[in-house]
Amino acid sequence: MPLIPASLAFTDDGTPYSPTFDDVYHSAEGGLGQAQHVFLAGNDLPRRWQDRERFVVLETGFGLGLNFLATWAAWRDDPLRCARLHFISCELHPFTVADLAHLHQRWPQFAELSAALRAQWPVLAPGLHRLHLDLERVTLTLYFGDARVGLAQIVAQADALYLDGFSPARNPALWSPKICHLLARLAAPDATLATWSVAGTVREHLRHAGFVVDKTPGFGGKRQMLRGRLQPQTRRNGRETTALQPDLARAASVPFPERHALIVGAGLAGCALSERLAARGWRIDLIDAADAPATGASGNLAGVLRPLPNIDDNRMSRLTRVGTLYGWRHIARLRDAGHAVKADACGVLHLARDESQARKMQAVVEGLALPPEHLRQVEAAEASALAGWSVPLGGWYFGDSGWVQPPSLCAANLAHYASHIRTCFGRKVARLQHDGSHWQAIDERGELIARAPAMVLTAGIAVRDFIGADLLPVVSARGQVSLLAAAPGSPPGVVVCCDGYVSPEVDGQRCAGATFSIDDEEEGLRETDHTENLTKLDGMLPGFTAQLPPAALDGRVGFRPASPDRLPMVGALPAQAALGHSTALADIPRQPGAYVLSGYGARGLAWSEIAAELLASQLEGDPLPLERELCEALDPARFLLRPTRGGRIQE
Ligand SMILES: Cc1cc2nc3c(=O)[nH]c(=O)nc-3n(C[C@H](O)[C@H](O)[C@H](O)COP(=O)(O)OP(=O)(O)OC[C@H]3O[C@@H](n4cnc5c(N)ncnc54)[C@H](O)[C@@H]3O)c2cc1C
Ligand SMILES: C[S@@+](CC[C@H](N)C(=O)[O-])C[C@H]1O[C@@H](n2cnc3c(N)ncnc32)[C@H](O)[C@@H]1O
């Protein structure tokens, strides 16, 4: 369902108002006072977050984000604050960033926080969006869509619940029995709740879901408000519920108090994970057989970072969207921290192959109705203008996508929290063994390289040296790119894709690719592959190759770790076990402390940052950055459940 943004309106007294719900966003007597009295004090904050490592707030309706700003500001002002604050909120009708700027002017004391929030405010696309704020000490996880769907998909344990919909009479969906049950399921055993509403139906639904609620003095003219906590009985049941959902249990527990991991492989996958874990205070031993990071599949001059939309907004469509958006936000954060990442969100033009495909692409654009700055359809004339080259057909234009140089991203990831990351280059791991409490990485001479309680395989196609294809069906897909001499400013100035892709000029060259051949081990460049790349290029930009100097082409060969269903493998490594016919994913036994990030195939840039954030969140016990069903779609054990798509690997 496409998102419909909120429409900005005000009542006569200037209170923000929703024409859709015919109600005000906050008390006419002051939104900030209400946030502080009802939601913060109502949950006994700041006291309850003090001296804790992490505190998680879950809100039903984000609205203007005033409760969020007030909570963030109170947390900042508290010298005893918890180390990390997570704020999760749902919003069916998010405001545009321009409207938020307008609205937040009313609270000049939040100008700095509002600016930081708006700088990262996501494109108004459905699903979860994770923003890291305040030097990563504050994490905002926003679900854009209906909370009745979103709360069922969120994986977290909330310590404080903010129930903030429009009035139950005008917005019954957000106070429904279903919402109250979902909140109870997401509540930590000692969670509290607060809301300004004392409606009988709300109290009834909350009680029925297992909360004890009390009326206490309300804010401003409102005599009363509600505070609540889980009944002891529900807390017990809650534990049972958690036990029935091991994925949630895994996410919510902190199994690694030492916060120390060894990571095998310093490509896009391993460097991104090192950074995400180091950001959480983990110590990392990152091992690579090569003398530097990004010498394997991740060593190209330029790769494309863009989504792959689909008319049904299927898992690939949603995952590549969130991966792309999170990836670009991550690059912006690295740059803000002073690390150079060679990348440009210059726009990606995906041209239609023929008229029939152009119509299908148009239908996707209309069906998804994403903000046009993210995805729009362009006709041939506009496509030609964007490419700087005459093309016969239009297609998709992703205005906020572009190219990234993977080695520069890897280097920036390693530099960001460098003091937490010990790199062991030039050390090939020959064996991994578990000594009962820790994993040991042993080299070819039998020497210990590193030892840690958690071990993550990020060795690209070499994960197959450590785990059998019966447990993890990683396949090698050889790819060759051709490097073409390019003058600065020469067309195309955007990435152009169709059957292949070509980048703009990067350091005097452009990257055109790529071939894709399964289980093909030839390491040297092949003339036939250059010809294939040039044919694809000429198919996209007719006559382009005729302009190229006739000199022999340079290029690069890499071996992508591909996955049968084209989705990456992110999570705990399955263990050898006989599975029953009806074994659930969550019941598949795992190897203790062993994880994998692989199967990135042709989309390593779209997967690497969001997958690293997902695995780091799982290891740390943080709320997860992806919907439950998407996490399950990435679980490396999924291949043990169902036959793969005929085992055919696709680009
Ligand atoms: C030609 C080509 C074009 C591509 N174009 C794009 C694109 O446009 N957009 C996009 O998103 N993606 C693209 N990709 C895909 C992307 O580059 C890959 O998905 C990604 O690089 C995989 O990263 P990785 O970290 O899993 O593997 P790798 O980068 O291969 O990293 C694995 C690392 O493990 C190390 N290692 C292996 N075995 C051991 C061992 N025993 N001990 C220690 N270290 C070990 C290796 O030395 C290597 O550094 C392309 C790939 C290729 C080959
Ligand atoms: C009272 S406002 C919230 C104010 C907000 N907490 C703040 O601090 O600014 C209620 C919000 O809930 C949102 N909402 C209503 N129904 C929803 C639903 N089913 N799912 C998610 N959000 C919903 C509305 O769009 C609105 O933004």
Side-chain angles (χ1 to χ4, degrees), residues 29-48:
E29 288 159 276
L32 181 53
Q34 177 181 292
Q36 289 165 335
H37 178 88
V38 175
F39 295 104
L40 279 150
N43 278 294
D44 198 7
L45 298 174
R47 192 196 63 77
R48 286 186 54 244

Side-chain angles (χ1 to χ4, degrees), residues 264-271 287-290 292-300 302-306 406 424 427-430 449 458-463 465-466 477-481 501 511 513-515 556-561 597-608 651:
V264 185
L268 279 171
C271 295
I287 310 168
D288 202 290
T295 60
S298 310
N300 280 347
V304 195
L305 173 51
R306 53 153 289 191
C424 314
R427 303 292 300 272
K428 180 169 181 184
V429 177
I449 311 172
T458 55
I461 56 164
V463 298
D465 299 344
F466 300 99
R478 180 187 182 280
Q480 179 172 319
V481 285
Y501 65 89
C511 196
T515 59
R556 188 174 188 280
V557 173
F559 297 88
R560 312 168 180 94
L597 288 179
S598 190
Y600 288 6
R603 302 202 168 77
L605 288 166
W607 304 135
S608 58
E651 191 165 6

Side-chain angles (χ1 to χ4, degrees), residues 6 14 25 35 128 146 216 226 239 259 266 301 311 357 360 394 485 501-502 576 589 597 601 610 618:
Y25 275 88
L128 277 180
D146 194 323
T216 58
L226 278 191
R239 273 202 292 278
R259 289 196 166 125
L301 173 74
I311 187 104
Q357 196 192 16
K360 286 185 188 149
Y501 65 89
V502 62
Q576 199 75 53
L597 288 179
I610 191 68
Q618 286 172 333

Side-chain angles (χ1 to χ4, degrees), residues 232-587:
Q233 177 62 27
T234 319
R235 290 186 214 174
R236 277 200 300 280
N237 292 344
R239 273 202 292 278
E240 280 158 28
T241 311
T242 301
L244 288 172
Q245 297 163 4
D247 64 335
L248 176 60
R250 266 206 303 279
S253 64
V254 183
F256 299 109
E258 253 185 73
R259 289 196 166 125
H260 180 199
L262 72 83
I263 299 180
V264 185
L268 279 171
C271 295
L273 181 66
S274 299
E275 194 271 350
R276 288 294 73 216
L277 282 172
R280 289 164 164 86
W282 282 55
R283 256 184 325 123
I284 304 299
D285 288 306
L286 174 65
I287 310 168
D288 202 290
D291 291 334
T295 60
S298 310
N300 280 347
L301 173 74
V304 195
L305 173 51
R306 53 153 289 191
L308 190 69
N310 164 280
I311 187 104
D312 302 320
D313 209 18
N314 62 8
R315 295 176 315 180
M316 176 65 81
S317 173
R318 291 156 63 200
L319 279 162
T320 52
R321 180 168 66 234
V322 66
T324 301
L325 295 173
Y326 186 82
W328 284 112
R329 279 201 299 276
H330 180 75
I331 289 170
R333 263 201 338 273
L334 289 172
R335 286 175 166 167
D336 286 349
H339 305 291
V341 182
K342 209 164 246 191
D344 191 3
C346 54
V348 173
L349 184 60
H350 184 141
L351 297 170
R353 234 174 269 133
D354 50 38
E355 293 285 359
S356 145
Q357 196 192 16
R359 281 193 295 278
K360 286 185 188 149
M361 290 168 101
Q362 170 88 46
V364 172
V365 172
E366 286 168 7
L368 297 182
L370 293 165
E373 68 273 21
H374 177 67
L375 170 62
R376 66 192 172 88
Q377 187 80 6
V378 290
E379 297 301 328
E382 190 180 359
S384 302
L386 286 164
W389 198 268
S390 178
V391 293
L393 288 167
W396 286 331
Y397 185 60
F398 303 92
D400 54 0
S401 288
W403 62 267
V404 179
Q405 186 173 87
S408 77
L409 177 57
C410 290
N413 273 332
L414 296 187
H416 197 193
Y417 296 100
S419 63
H420 286 253
I421 303 172
R422 181 176 78 103
T423 51
C424 314
F425 291 122
R427 303 292 300 272
K428 180 169 181 184
V429 177
R431 211 167 69 246
L432 288 161
Q433 62 192 34
H434 198 246
D435 65 12
S437 61
H438 288 64
W439 281 94
Q440 298 178 339
I442 316 278
D443 74 9
E444 286 159 315
R445 286 172 305 189
E447 282 175 17
L448 181 73
I449 311 172
R451 180 178 178 270
M455 181 277 293
V456 190
L457 274 179
T458 55
I461 56 164
V463 298
R464 302 177 307 174
D465 299 344
F466 300 99
I467 183 159
D470 52 334
L471 290 181
L472 201 71
V474 172
V475 172
S476 166
R478 180 187 182 280
Q480 179 172 319
V481 285
S482 305
L483 294 171
L484 317 176
S490 59
V494 298
V495 177
V496 183
C497 312
C498 183
D499 288 330
Y501 65 89
V502 62
S503 74
E505 178 266 340
V506 181
D507 295 339
Q509 291 182 305
R510 65 179 80 251
C511 196
T515 59
F516 192 93
S517 44
I518 300 293
D519 284 336
D520 168 351
E521 288 173 13
E522 187 172 338
E523 290 181 3
L525 289 170
R526 278 199 299 243
E527 207 48 53
T528 48
D529 284 29
H530 279 322
T531 307
E532 182 182 328
N533 286 337
L534 294 186
T535 307
K536 284 178 186 166
L537 176 54
D538 227 40
M540 295 188 286
L541 302 176
F544 193 89
T545 56
Q547 312 279 319
L548 294 176
L553 286 180
D554 202 355
R556 188 174 188 280
V557 173
F559 297 88
R560 312 168 180 94
S563 149
D565 61 5
R566 298 190 299 155
L567 294 178
M569 303 158 183
V570 184
L573 268 180
Q576 199 75 53
L579 298 183
H581 215 61
S582 56
T583 308
L585 194 56
D587 295 333

